Amino acid sequence: MTTAVGTQLDQPLVIGGRTFHSRLMVGTGKYHDNETMVRAIEASGAEVVTVAVRRVDLDRRKAEGILHHLDPEQHFLLANTAGCYSAEEAVRYARLAREAGFNDFLKLEVIGDRETLLPDTAGLLEAARTLVADGFQVMAYTNDDLITALRLEDAGCVAVMPLASPIGSGLGLINPYGIRIIKKRVSVPVIVDAGVGTASDACVTMEQGVDGILMNTAIAEANDPVAMGSAMRLAVESGRLAYLAGRMPRREIAVPSSPTTGMLG
Amino acid sequence: MEDKTLMVQLNGEARAVAPGSVSDLLRSLEIDPRTVVVELNRAIVRRTALESTSIKEGDEIELVHFVGGG
């Protein structure tokens, strides 16, 4: 990008040594139908798409796997451990996911509570250490707590993924300070995961300087998921650009935009 | 094939299956082995080992794949 005041080039997003062309990552859950999902993902411009590991439904074979609809050549499949409530369970799911043979990346979730789906940070750290030692590129879904983010980085995670607000809540960015301090102190990429509800949430989140956003429900549960996918692409790009541009300072008094001299006498 | 069957736990359900390999089981379920990952008694069965891995009475078998998720 070349601007009037000089050249301010954005760096590509690199996670675990791999370069990604979009800062928006999207989930594939909760869509009314697969065709809408595919079109919404396309509109979002996302390269990384998350998937979950579940039992094959032996009796209802119509419930096909997601790969009947998503081309793994076109998307980077990021498996998650959603629904896992212990480190042991998450490690089991992670290994099954890797065996599918796409990549070593994993969105690690260890959930601590069914009502809030907030992470169990002790279990998360335990699972992260095990999986990093096992060769996984771990991207860890965590809360907005700096200390946990630092510990996850120490454990060898290739990205930390603090929440904007609880999964599926659509409440937007509740703790911008927490996210900014994580971004300031952690060296690995910070991808805000969960809680974004609409485009302005995505934009404000990117304006904090984070490296990317992962979202699912905000697009899947929109009245028009394809249009929202497009809106989110623009919002993430816009928020990123605004961050790089550097916003004006906030002032509590007005400052005129027009000259105060040359007024008629 | 003889009519003797084995009782196994398949994706959490008790099922009678014909003796044979994991590959044979997938074939009988009309599942393409490239689309699933198989876990046998909590250990992953590599795709290259599906043919040579026999199913035994009481085995716990999990067949998983990727579904939509966030």
Side-chain angles (χ1 to χ4, degrees), chain A residues 105-188:
Chain A
F105 284 73
L106 178 80
K107 191 190 109 169
L108 177 63
E109 291 184 33
V110 180
I111 302 300
D113 173 59
R114 287 181 196 277
E115 188 179 327
T116 60
L117 298 179
L118 289 171
D120 174 342
T121 54
L124 183 65
L125 275 163
E126 184 190 339
R129 291 188 184 107
T130 302
L131 291 168
V132 167
D134 200 10
F136 282 87
Q137 311 273 355
V138 177
M139 301 169 65
Y141 166 69
T142 183
N143 58 25
D144 53 11
D145 169 54
L146 170 66
I147 309 308
T148 305
L150 290 169
R151 298 285 179 274
L152 288 165
E153 181 177 40
D154 287 346
C157 292
V158 294
V160 293
M161 308 183 80
L163 51 76
S165 48
I167 295 171
S169 71
L171 291 174
L173 185 60
I174 283 177
N175 182 5
Y177 165 77
I179 298 299
R180 276 200 304 277
I181 194 76
I182 288 173
K183 177 55 198 168
K184 188 177 168 197
R185 295 283 303 279
V186 166
S187 308
V188 295

Side-chain angles (χ1 to χ4, degrees), chain A residues 27-29 50-56 58-59 61 65-66 79-80 92 95-97 99-100 102 107 109 216, chain B residues 10-13 15 29-31 35-39 42 44-47 62-70:
Chain A
T28 55
T50 59
V51 292
V53 175
R54 292 293 182 269
R55 282 173 167 161
V56 173
L58 298 174
D59 301 314
R61 293 302 312 286
I66 194 92
N80 69 28
R92 183 185 183 195
R95 288 178 175 151
L96 288 167
E99 197 61 24
F102 293 100
K107 191 190 109 169
E109 291 184 33
N216 186 346
Chain B
L10 181 60
N11 282 7
E13 291 172 18
R15 283 215 181 198
L29 294 166
E30 298 178 357
I31 291 174
T35 66
V36 293
V37 174
V38 181
E39 193 191 63
R42 292 285 183 130
I44 288 170
V45 183
R46 310 298 305 262
R47 276 189 194 135
E62 296 284 355
L63 308 177
V64 301
H65 62 169
F66 285 148
V67 301

Side-chain angles (χ1 to χ4, degrees), chain A:
Chain A
M1 179 188 66
T2 306
T3 69
V5 292
T7 303
Q8 190 167 36
L9 279 176
D10 198 1
Q11 303 294 312
L13 172 61
V14 180
I15 303 174
R18 192 188 191 285
T19 301
F20 295 95
H21 64 65
S22 173
R23 292 178 182 274
L24 173 57
M25 307 180 181
V26 297
T28 55
K30 299 186 194 170
Y31 281 94
H32 184 259
D33 61 87
N34 287 306
E35 193 202 333
T36 305
M37 174 193 73
V38 169
R39 289 176 54 224
I41 292 172
E42 198 174 309
S44 78
E47 177 180 7
V48 175
V49 298
T50 59
V51 292
V53 175
R54 292 293 182 269
R55 282 173 167 161
V56 173
D57 188 336
L58 298 174
D59 301 314
R60 215 160 35 85
R61 293 302 312 286
K62 276 190 292 183
E64 296 165 327
I66 194 92
L67 298 182
H68 281 88
H69 309 283
L70 274 184
D71 181 359
E73 299 288 316
Q74 274 188 35
H75 300 286
F76 185 87
L77 297 181
L78 177 62
N80 69 28
T81 59
C84 291
Y85 282 79
S86 70
E88 186 190 9
E89 197 180 13
V91 167
R92 183 185 183 195
Y93 275 68
R95 288 178 175 151
L96 288 167
R98 183 168 64 177
E99 197 61 24
F102 293 100
N103 56 66
D104 292 337
F105 284 73
L106 178 80
K107 191 190 109 169
L108 177 63
E109 291 184 33
V110 180
I111 302 300
D113 173 59
R114 287 181 196 277
E115 188 179 327
T116 60
L117 298 179
L118 289 171
D120 174 342
T121 54
L124 183 65
L125 275 163
E126 184 190 339
R129 291 188 184 107
T130 302
L131 291 168
V132 167
D134 200 10
F136 282 87
Q137 311 273 355
V138 177
M139 301 169 65
Y141 166 69
T142 183
N143 58 25
D144 53 11
D145 169 54
L146 170 66
I147 309 308
T148 305
L150 290 169
R151 298 285 179 274
L152 288 165
E153 181 177 40
D154 287 346
C157 292
V158 294
V160 293
M161 308 183 80
L163 51 76
S165 48
I167 295 171
S169 71
L171 291 174
L173 185 60
I174 283 177
N175 182 5
Y177 165 77
I179 298 299
R180 276 200 304 277
I181 194 76
I182 288 173
K183 177 55 198 168
K184 188 177 168 197
R185 295 283 303 279
V186 166
S187 308
V188 295
V190 176
I191 310 293
V192 169
D193 179 9
V196 163
T198 187
S200 56
D201 295 338
C203 198
V204 167
T205 300
M206 288 305 293
E207 284 172 358
Q208 310 308 312
V210 299
D211 298 278
I213 304 182
L214 196 161
M215 64 179 74
N216 186 346
T217 313
I219 299 176
E221 280 190 3
N223 285 338
D224 183 341
V226 181
M228 189 58 91
S230 197
M232 290 301 189
R233 176 175 58 78
L234 294 168
V236 167
E237 285 178 10
S238 182
R240 178 67 182 171
L241 274 178
Y243 168 72
L244 292 172
R247 61 154 297 147
M248 61 164 281
R250 287 186 168 83
R251 302 184 186 98
E252 300 211 343
I253 50 160
V255 178
S257 301
S258 305
T260 52
T261 56
M263 301 295 290
L264 300 179

